[in-house]
């Protein structure tokens, strides 16, 4: 009647441990490709009991955490001692901090002497050289930002360490140690001189003839400035002074703009001339041109801090630090260009060959002090003081870092707070002493620019060739070799020309007698 359905039963398979599949997203994780859980089912009974459906969420969490840690560590192989040093103590930086620090280190009182270069170069060559220098240093900035993180996962958070990695330990130290420390220490000395002198001018503008208080001497103003800078220097690390750098950046952009706008809107002084200064000989003419190029190079110092700024940022395979760093640098140098070019061109138009080594603010004070509001003059001088104090912090940071590195290398422990404060007070006393002993240092802008030029224009090109090893005779290979060699030759010529100008033309040298 009904059909008989025949059912065939397959043999019963021996029971075994259940196979737990891996979630699809973990199969593409770098950490899971090296995990022992993927090679098959473990034979251990204990492992068999762990690999149950109930344990899957735990295994998933562990695998995800392992992948995350490996991803983060892919580009952040750090020296444990870096967590004890002020530059890399905090790695919470971002593109905004990058912009603040780059602005603070890239624009400042050195920009006020840019019109002096035009007195030798003239209009066309002055603008051309300034534009070429700006583009050149922006390119080498990009090179340093790319070189900060190596393919092996090492981060070079200091210019000296990148130089040692590129050229070898001994040659790298020989090439980079003196220029970078010279830039940091020499800039801080210059800031004490300019900041203390401007404090004196600010007091004179505010008090005028109505004050019965005996004014301080120049050395005493240096002391006031140094003490203020040392107090600010007690902030622990580079990230902690981001707000200070923001204030310094705003003050620098403001006083640069105020100075050139007021200078251009006022009547030009009697006797303004735009004819290049006629030298007594061809050698003197060549040395004058080289000294002018040194002044332009000095205006673009700050490369010795790029790697340090980038070292304050977190980095991972998906989010390398070079992206926010480059974003911040592009914004900062757009603002720098909008400040430096009008200041150089407008300042030369307003004063011509009347501009002196003292710079634009001294020219404004000397030629337009009588017909300019005291509020504007006082505000400008106050902004210069604020910018000098804030720039001191970021330029002194490599020196603080180096002093503490000596301590932790010998003791293998972090520097206590009281010793850190002592180091910074010692550095402040040292730069104060040099400022009093060599008050004519700002007059050596051409020489300082020549010494610092390889750090900005030459070394990054050679570092790229040594580390990245581009294909021979390619465009990038020719470009970096050409710019690097040109930078080294130009540095030698600038130093030679600056020394020759000092010897032949002379400068007012007065040891331990600041004006």
């Amino acid at each position: 009647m009904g059909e008989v359905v025949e059912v065939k039963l397959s043999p019963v398979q021996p029971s075994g441990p259940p196979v737990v599949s891996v979630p699809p997203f973990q199969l593409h994780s770098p950490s899971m490709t090296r995990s022992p859980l993927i090679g098959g089912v473990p034979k251990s009974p204990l492992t068999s009991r762990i690999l149950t459906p109930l344990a899957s969420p735990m295994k998933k969490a562990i695998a995800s955490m392992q992948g995350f840690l490996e991803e983060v560590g892919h580009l952040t192989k750090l020296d444990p001692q870096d967590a004890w040093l002020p530059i890399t103590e905090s790695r919470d930086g971002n593109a905004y901090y990058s912009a603040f620090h780059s602005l603070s280190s890239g624009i400042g009182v050195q920009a006020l002497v840019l019109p002096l270069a035009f007195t030798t170069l003239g209009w066309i060559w002055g603008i051309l050289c300034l534009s070429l220098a700006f583009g050149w240093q922006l390119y080498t900035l990009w090179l340093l930002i790319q070189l900060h993180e190596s393919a092996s996962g090492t981060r070079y958070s200091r210019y000296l360490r990148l130089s040692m990695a590129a050229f070898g330990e001994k040659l790298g130290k020989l090439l980079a140690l003196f220029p970078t420390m010279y830039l940091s220490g020499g800039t801080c000395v210059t800031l004490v001189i300019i900041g203390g002198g401007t404090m004196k001018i600010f007091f004179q503008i505010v008090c005028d003839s109505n004050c019965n208080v005996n004014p301080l001497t120049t050395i005493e103003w240096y002391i006031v400035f140094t003490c203020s800078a040392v107090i600010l220097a007690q902030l622990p690390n580079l990230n902690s002074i981001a707000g200070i750098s923001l204030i310094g950046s705003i003050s620098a952009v403001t006083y640069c703009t105020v100075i050139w706008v007021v200078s251009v809107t006022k009547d030009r002084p009697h006797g303004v001339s735009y004819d290049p200064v006629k030298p007594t000989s061809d050698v003197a003419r060549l040395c004058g041109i080289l000294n002018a190029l040194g002044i332009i190079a000095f205006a673009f110092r700050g490369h010795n801090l790029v790697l340090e700024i980038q070292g304050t940022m977190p980095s991972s395979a998906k989010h390398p630090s070079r992206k926010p760093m480059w974003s911040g640098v592009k914004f900062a140098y757009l603002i720098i260009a909008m400040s430096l070019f009008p200041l150089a061109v407008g300042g030369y138009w307003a004063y011509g060959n009347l501009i002196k080594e003292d710079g634009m603010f001294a020219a404004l004070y000397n030629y337009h002090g009588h017909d300019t509001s005291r509020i504007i003059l006082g505000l400008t001088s106050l902004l210069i003081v604020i910018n000098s104090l804030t720039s001191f912090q970021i330029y002194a940071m490599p020196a603080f870092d180096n002093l503490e590195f000596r301590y932790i290398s010998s003791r293998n422990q972090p520097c206590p707070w009281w010793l850190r404060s002592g180091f910074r007070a010692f550095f402040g006393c040292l730069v104060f002493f040099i400022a009093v002993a060599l008050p004519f240092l700002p007059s050596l802008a051409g020489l300082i620019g020549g010494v610092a030029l390889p750090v900005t224009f030459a070394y990054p090109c050679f570092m790229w060739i040594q580390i990245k090893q581009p294909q021979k005779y390619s465009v990038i290979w020719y470009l970096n070799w050409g710019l690097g060699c040109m930078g080294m030759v130009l540095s030698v010529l600038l130093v030679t020309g600056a020394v020759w100008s000092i010897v032949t033309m002379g400068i007012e040298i007065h040891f331990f007698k600041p004006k």
Side-chain angles (χ1 to χ4, degrees):
M1 301 220 2
E3 293 185 0
V4 177
V5 179
E6 182 178 355
V7 179
K8 294 183 179 181
L9 299 176
S10 59
V12 179
Q13 300 294 330
S15 61
V19 178
V20 180
S21 61
V22 181
F25 78 94
Q26 291 185 357
L27 290 174
H28 302 284
S29 171
S31 63
M32 290 302 297
T33 59
R34 296 185 292 273
S35 174
L37 299 179
I38 301 301
V41 180
K43 302 298 182 181
S44 169
L46 178 60
T47 309
S48 300
R49 286 192 293 269
I50 293 177
L51 293 180
T52 62
L54 292 177
S56 293
M58 182 179 295
K59 185 190 69 174
K60 176 181 176 181
I62 293 174
S64 299
M65 180 60 69
Q66 181 182 0
F68 172 76
L69 292 176
E70 288 190 5
E71 177 191 339
V72 172
H74 179 69
L75 289 176
T76 54
K77 294 181 180 178
L78 307 175
D79 186 344
Q81 291 184 343
D82 278 355
W84 299 341
L85 295 174
I87 288 178
T88 49
E89 188 176 64
S90 171
R91 292 188 182 269
D92 298 328
N94 51 46
Y96 297 102
Y97 287 13
S98 166
F100 301 159
H101 291 316
S102 299
L103 263 174
S104 182
S105 61
I107 187 172
V109 292
Q110 78 279 2
L112 298 179
V113 296
L114 271 178
L116 185 62
F118 280 63
T119 61
T120 302
L121 299 174
W123 282 110
I124 297 177
W125 283 107
I127 295 175
L128 182 61
C129 291
L130 185 61
S131 302
L132 289 175
F134 182 81
W136 189 351
Q137 59 90 35
L138 196 60
Y139 170 70
T140 52
L141 262 176
W142 179 82
L143 292 180
L144 289 175
I145 292 171
Q146 300 300 313
L147 290 172
H148 176 83
E149 295 165 339
S150 67
S152 62
T154 304
R155 294 184 68 178
Y156 301 106
S157 299
R158 291 156 186 84
Y159 196 101
L160 179 60
R161 294 188 184 179
L162 180 61
S163 177
M164 292 166 61
F167 306 125
E169 185 173 356
K170 292 183 178 180
L171 183 60
K173 282 185 178 180
L174 181 64
L175 292 176
L177 182 60
F178 174 72
T180 53
M181 289 296 105
Y182 177 73
L183 268 175
S184 295
T187 302
C188 288
V189 172
T190 304
L191 290 172
V192 170
I193 296 172
I194 295 177
T198 310
M199 277 185 168
K200 182 178 180 180
I201 295 175
F202 175 72
F203 180 82
Q204 293 172 351
I205 293 173
V206 172
C207 279
D208 199 13
S209 59
N210 300 324
C211 292
N212 297 322
V213 180
N214 292 327
L216 300 178
T217 64
T218 304
I219 294 180
E220 290 171 337
W221 282 116
Y222 286 4
I223 294 175
V224 173
F225 180 89
T226 304
C227 291
S228 303
V230 170
I231 292 173
L232 271 180
Q234 301 309 312
L235 292 171
N237 51 61
L238 191 54
N239 266 343
S240 66
I241 66 170
I244 301 295
S245 293
L246 174 60
I247 295 172
S249 303
I250 295 173
S251 62
V253 173
T254 303
Y255 74 68
C256 285
T257 304
V258 169
I259 288 176
W260 76 259
V261 168
V262 173
S263 299
V264 169
T265 53
K266 296 290 183 180
D267 294 334
R268 284 178 291 180
H270 178 71
V272 170
S273 173
Y274 303 112
D275 295 329
V277 179
K278 295 182 179 180
T280 56
S281 65
D282 292 338
V283 176
R285 180 181 181 183
L286 177 61
C287 292
I289 293 174
L290 294 175
N291 191 54
L293 294 177
I295 292 174
I296 292 176
F298 179 61
F300 292 117
R301 89 278 187 272
H303 275 46
N304 61 313
L305 295 171
V306 174
L307 297 172
E308 284 80 352
I309 296 170
Q310 192 173 354
T312 64
M313 297 181 174
S315 185
S316 67
K318 291 184 178 179
H319 305 285
S321 62
R322 63 178 178 271
K323 293 182 179 180
M325 182 66 190
W326 181 237
S327 299
V329 166
K330 286 190 295 184
F331 174 79
Y333 275 80
L334 175 63
I335 302 299
I336 290 173
M338 294 170 61
S339 301
L340 294 189
F341 281 86
L343 181 68
V345 176
Y348 184 58
W349 181 88
Y351 303 110
N353 292 338
L354 297 178
I355 197 80
K356 302 299 180 184
E357 289 82 0
D358 296 335
M360 280 289 293
F361 180 67
L364 175 65
Y365 187 73
N366 293 333
Y367 296 114
H368 295 297
H370 62 283
D371 59 354
T372 303
S373 170
R374 286 175 54 195
I375 296 177
I376 294 178
L377 292 175
L379 177 63
T380 305
S381 58
L382 180 61
L383 290 173
I384 292 176
V385 172
I386 293 174
N387 176 251
S388 299
L389 284 172
T390 55
S391 297
F392 185 96
Q393 308 308 313
I394 191 168
Y395 273 97
M397 197 60 71
F400 299 158
D401 190 87
N402 192 47
L403 289 172
E404 294 189 30
F405 176 75
R406 303 298 176 187
Y407 174 83
I408 69 172
S409 297
S410 59
R411 298 296 183 91
N412 196 28
Q413 63 181 12
C415 190
W417 68 268
W418 57 269
L419 186 58
R420 169 175 282 188
S421 300
F423 280 148
R424 301 183 181 196
F426 166 76
F427 178 78
C429 294
L430 180 62
V431 296
F432 165 76
F433 174 78
I434 298 175
V436 173
L438 307 174
F440 53 88
L441 197 62
S443 302
L444 305 178
L447 179 61
I448 297 174
V451 172
L453 187 140
V455 174
T456 304
F457 295 106
Y459 291 167
C461 301
F462 294 134
M463 290 173 180
W464 182 271
I465 293 173
Q466 289 293 111
I467 295 177
K468 294 294 186 179
Q469 296 182 349
Q471 184 181 359
K472 281 189 176 182
Y473 312 118
S474 62
V475 175
I476 194 72
W477 187 86
Y478 276 117
L479 178 63
N480 283 294
W481 269 114
L483 291 178
C485 294
M486 190 187 305
M488 294 304 298
V489 172
L490 190 59
S491 174
V492 174
L493 292 176
L494 292 185
V495 172
T496 304
V499 173
W500 180 272
S501 299
I502 293 172
V503 172
T504 56
M505 301 177 62
I507 60 172
E508 189 176 350
I509 297 178
H510 36 277
F511 296 100
F512 295 97
K513 292 181 180 180
K515 292 183 178 181

